Amino acid sequence: MSTQVHGRGLSGPRRSGSRAGRLVAAAGAAALVFSAGLATPLNPAPQRAAAADDKNVLTVAVAQSVDSLSPFLAQRLVSTSIHRLMYEYLTNYDPKDNHAVPGLATKWESSPDKLTWTYTIRSDSTWSDGQQATAQDAAWTFNKMMTDEGAATANGSFVGNFEKVTAPSPTRLVIQLKKPQATMTALDVPIVPKHVWEKVGDFSKFNNDKSFPVVGNGPFVLTDYKPDSYVRLKPNKDFWRGAPKFDELVFRYYKDQDAAVAALRKGEVSFVAGSPSLTPAQAASLENEKNIRVNDAPGRRFYALATNPGAKAKNGQKFGDGDPSLLDARVRHALFLAVDRATVIDKVFQGHAVEGQGYIPPRFSQYFWKPSASQELAYDPDKAGRLLDQAGYKKNSAGKRLGKDGKPITYRVLCHATDPNDKAVGQYLTEWWGELGIGVTLDCLDNVTDPWLAGTYDLAFDGWSVNPDPDFVLSIHTCAALPATPKDTGATDNFICDKQYDDLYARQLAEYDPAKRATIVKQMESRLYDLGYMNVMAYPNAVEAYRTDQIKSIRTMPSAAGNIYGQDGYWSWWSAVPAASDGSSDDSGSTGIVIGGVVLAVILVGAGGFVALRRRSTADDRE
């Protein structure tokens, strides 16, 4: 699934997307300051995205609806991004260079054998109902995930290696491990208030969407929600790092991305993220618009085709109806040999992307991998045809490839109805695979998650937001991520289960040496590539836009040249500064950009400089 397959960055079933910790004391990092043009009689100031009482309201147009407001269930990028605003994590990531910094925990340290980790929990974090946030809340959150399968749906991979979690005091959290775990400064798990959540019965069904405001301790408090419409949040005035500067933050869902862009032009929304990015045509149409700034930066997502490997559950029960021909690696490789990635970059993304290779985008250079020349499935339709012949899927007199049942092969390809890129690439697939004698049926749906989880697809457009620490997006292809039974929901992306890959996953998780761990991660990417269940076609740029007459400045991540929406933290919306009340900022015009900001010292105490992050979705992000 993906970028808005699932979340966590997924976009659909891309879960993108995409959870994390927080910074220390007074936060630093460079902010991008964009100037806004002045209104003229010929170009009157558009309607501002503000309430009737002239509050400063930051309205974000998103192309993905919330799947769940429960941090134990949420997969989609929009949902996990909102949870970053509602709840603190033990640690956060510095917006400048992604190193781990304090969040709910002010410091941490490990035992010499790396099996016991002790976190000091800050004493200045309170829940929005006035109660103190303590180590007991963190211990309860982790223990619930360890003992309740429903509570482990979204983030269970983080606690699978936990032996015991205790809170000896309100400010001391102790986690004991079964074996060393390299993600202990990157536990991207929202910590929830025990006194609220211990009343929940079935965690697999509770969506946290019936009582408002929702109790949290993050920079924002969720005050209202309407499914498939909007989410409203207000600043948490008692947030330990300081309250956000806007009076209200609204995420508004637009099924039609062009409508969202039109709303930005009119001033009805402040920011547009796209699905998950703006199309080249949309971005170009906004480039010279007065009071609008387009942010085009290297992305943290990949855009891929995922193949149904034969959906099954942990209990071994198979389900779904994926085409049996796709169980043959030669067939999967043949399909990907017939995908012209260069055309995808040039014609679909029009240069706003990098050609896909390995599973992790080049933005994360430490883990970026690409196949060798002999290993690469480069565009070669003739070789693809020969592989299909060798696999026994030959053409009939009409030029159609026949399955083992003697019928012409036609693959169903799940695509996101809200993503123009899916539809455009789908047309190319119809042409390319048609030349191989294979039919294509594009199944473009508003909701790709249900057929994806049911295994009722052959291939699907997939994409995830990758974090600086790639553990999460690696974990979604392990056997442990499969659903317990066909009726359950697991953390799996597309039901991959491979022992060799699992062995490598366990090795990287236990490896603390950064260089050695990176080598193992690259071996995992190589294995995933050779299996042929995932074909990464592109690494799209983060292309998004906002009104400079509503947002004076906002922080990107990384601060030098990064994304605003779907960050590994809350920096963008927490840092956003409203434009002057008269609708103007400085007089330099909407194309001006000043990169500035103040970087404050951050002192880390304890367990070393292991850099770690993560997340999807993004999923919808099955983003």
Side-chain angles (χ1 to χ4, degrees):
M1 305 181 207
S2 137
T3 98
Q4 295 176 275
V5 170
H6 291 266
R8 241 162 208 150
L10 250 190
S11 300
R14 320 163 180 181
R15 299 189 250 247
S16 239
S18 44
R19 317 185 183 229
R22 316 281 186 230
L23 247 227
V24 286
L32 293 180
V33 182
F34 301 97
S35 60
L38 297 175
T40 69
L42 295 178
N43 184 26
Q47 174 189 348
R48 295 172 56 80
D53 58 357
D54 202 32
K55 291 191 302 183
N56 286 311
V57 180
L58 199 169
T59 303
V60 179
V62 294
Q64 186 180 45
S65 60
V66 169
D67 56 340
S68 178
L69 288 179
S70 166
F72 296 99
L73 300 178
Q75 302 281 339
R76 294 179 180 171
L77 180 61
V78 65
S79 309
T80 57
S81 296
I82 290 171
H83 286 142
R84 287 186 181 279
L85 306 177
M86 296 168 59
Y87 303 103
E88 271 284 27
Y89 298 48
L90 288 181
T91 57
N92 203 351
Y93 307 100
D94 188 284
K96 184 177 181 181
D97 61 10
N98 295 322
H99 73 267
V101 295
L104 184 59
T106 60
K107 62 180 180 180
W108 46 87
E109 60 184 1
S110 69
S111 60
D113 62 4
K114 305 294 186 184
L115 292 178
T116 301
W117 285 74
T118 302
Y119 301 82
T120 298
I121 302 302
R122 67 176 57 257
S123 58
D124 57 352
S125 178
T126 58
W127 298 110
S128 53
D129 62 1
Q131 293 202 34
Q132 179 72 35
T134 70
Q136 280 86 355
D137 294 305
W140 185 89
T141 299
F142 290 125
N143 277 305
K144 175 56 65 172
M145 293 166 59
M146 293 164 61
T147 58
D148 186 319
E149 205 163 69
T153 300
N155 297 304
S157 63
F158 287 106
V159 302
N161 181 46
F162 286 13
E163 181 69 43
K164 185 179 181 181
V165 182
T166 58
S169 76
T171 59
R172 188 163 175 257
L173 175 73
V174 179
I175 300 178
Q176 294 173 257
L177 305 173
K178 299 172 184 176
K179 55 186 176 182
Q181 180 169 322
T183 61
M184 296 307 289
T185 58
L187 297 174
D188 296 336
V189 176
I191 303 302
V192 302
K194 174 185 176 182
H195 66 280
V196 174
W197 283 83
E198 64 184 354
K199 301 171 186 176
V200 174
D202 189 344
F203 274 73
S204 68
K205 296 179 180 179
F206 180 72
N207 281 314
N208 196 27
D209 58 359
K210 303 302 181 186
S211 179
F212 302 99
V214 177
V215 178
N217 65 339
F220 290 88
V221 177
L222 196 150
T223 59
D224 192 16
Y225 165 66
K226 182 178 180 180
D228 300 322
S229 183
Y230 63 80
V231 176
R232 294 184 183 277
L233 305 101
K234 69 177 182 180
N236 178 359
K237 301 298 184 181
D238 297 320
F239 184 53
W240 67 271
R241 193 187 295 283
K245 299 171 182 64
F246 273 86
D247 298 316
E248 189 173 42
L249 173 62
V250 179
F251 290 87
R252 186 169 297 281
Y253 171 61
Y254 283 82
K255 180 178 178 181
D256 185 330
Q257 188 166 312
D258 286 332
V261 172
L264 182 74
R265 280 199 181 89
K266 297 174 184 177
E268 295 171 354
V269 300
S270 316
F271 179 97
V272 173
S275 177
S277 295
L278 297 177
T279 66
Q282 290 167 339
S285 74
L286 295 172
E287 282 289 354
N288 297 315
E289 288 276 342
K290 193 174 184 65
N291 299 331
I292 290 179
R293 169 74 195 184
V294 175
N295 183 48
D296 188 346
R300 57 187 283 250
R301 302 186 58 78
F302 64 78
Y303 181 75
L305 271 173
T307 304
N308 187 338
K312 65 179 179 180
K314 288 180 185 176
N315 63 6
Q317 186 175 349
K318 296 180 180 180
F319 57 98
D321 59 1
D323 195 294
S325 64
L326 295 171
L327 300 179
D328 190 323
R330 293 170 296 183
V331 174
R332 299 193 296 271
H333 289 169
L335 294 178
F336 298 154
L337 284 166
V339 172
D340 187 350
R341 293 172 177 80
T343 293
V344 171
I345 300 300
D346 294 340
K347 302 299 184 182
V348 177
F349 291 98
Q350 297 179 29
H352 296 271
V354 176
E355 189 171 329
Q357 298 184 85
Y359 188 60
I360 297 174
R363 172 164 155 177
F364 307 110
S365 57
Q366 181 180 11
Y367 298 109
F368 178 63
W369 169 89
K370 57 183 181 180
S372 63
S374 61
Q375 184 182 19
E376 185 180 8
L377 298 172
Y379 182 57
D380 189 340
D382 291 336
K383 183 177 180 180
R386 293 194 297 272
L387 272 180
L388 290 172
D389 288 339
Q390 293 171 15
Y393 298 97
K394 298 186 177 182
K395 291 182 178 180
N396 63 11
S397 58
K400 304 294 184 183
R401 296 276 174 184
L402 302 180
K404 301 298 184 181
D405 58 1
K407 298 178 181 179
I409 296 175
T410 297
Y411 292 131
R412 301 158 299 162
V413 180
L414 267 181
C415 87
H416 304 85
T418 58
D419 192 339
N421 293 328
D422 283 8
K423 296 175 183 177
V425 175
Q427 294 304 315
Y428 279 110
L429 294 181
T430 300
E431 175 185 338
W432 293 330
W433 292 353
E435 293 175 358
L436 293 177
I438 291 175
V440 172
T441 298
L442 281 179
D443 194 7
C444 296
L445 305 172
D446 292 334
N447 173 19
V448 301
T449 300
D450 288 346
W452 192 298
L453 295 178
T456 53
Y457 66 97
D458 296 322
L459 296 104
F461 288 102
D462 197 358
W464 288 80
S465 293
V466 178
N467 295 333
D469 186 286
D471 179 75
F472 179 80
V473 291
L474 297 174
S475 74
I476 59 179
H477 296 306
T478 61
C479 300
L482 295 174
T485 73
K487 295 181 180 180
D488 295 306
T489 299
T492 185
D493 181 23
N494 63 318
F495 305 102
I496 294 174
C497 179
D498 176 71
K499 185 179 184 305
Q500 183 176 330
Y501 181 89
D502 276 15
D503 289 344
L504 290 168
Y505 176 78
R507 286 177 53 200
Q508 68 81 30
L509 186 61
E511 181 55 70
Y512 281 88
D513 183 280
K516 292 179 180 178
R517 183 173 182 235
T519 296
I520 300 171
V521 169
K522 291 176 182 178
Q523 291 172 0
M524 295 177 69
E525 295 182 76
S526 178
R527 177 61 179 171
L528 198 60
Y529 188 91
D530 288 343
L531 286 172
Y533 293 120
M534 291 286 295
N535 176 32
V536 177
M537 295 179 286
Y539 309 114
N541 288 1
V543 186
E544 48 202 1
Y546 65 91
R547 294 202 63 92
T548 55
D549 56 353
Q550 295 182 22
I551 302 174
K552 182 179 181 180
S553 65
I554 193 166
R555 183 172 294 168
T556 62
M557 185 177 184
S559 53
N563 55 292
I564 296 171
Y565 178 71
Q567 293 182 359
D568 292 296
Y570 44 61
W571 308 116
S572 55
W573 315 125
W574 173 79
S575 71
V577 176
S581 59
D582 62 1
S584 65
S585 53
D586 67 45
D587 194 21
S588 57
S590 64
T591 58
I593 172 174
V594 178
I595 298 181
V598 179
V599 180
L600 300 179
V602 176
I603 301 175
L604 296 179
V605 182
F610 173 74
V611 177
L613 279 184
R614 118 172 189 249
R615 205 43 117 217
R616 328 192 234 209
S617 173
T618 277
D620 272 343
D621 199 326
R622 264 163 217 191
E623 304 112 339

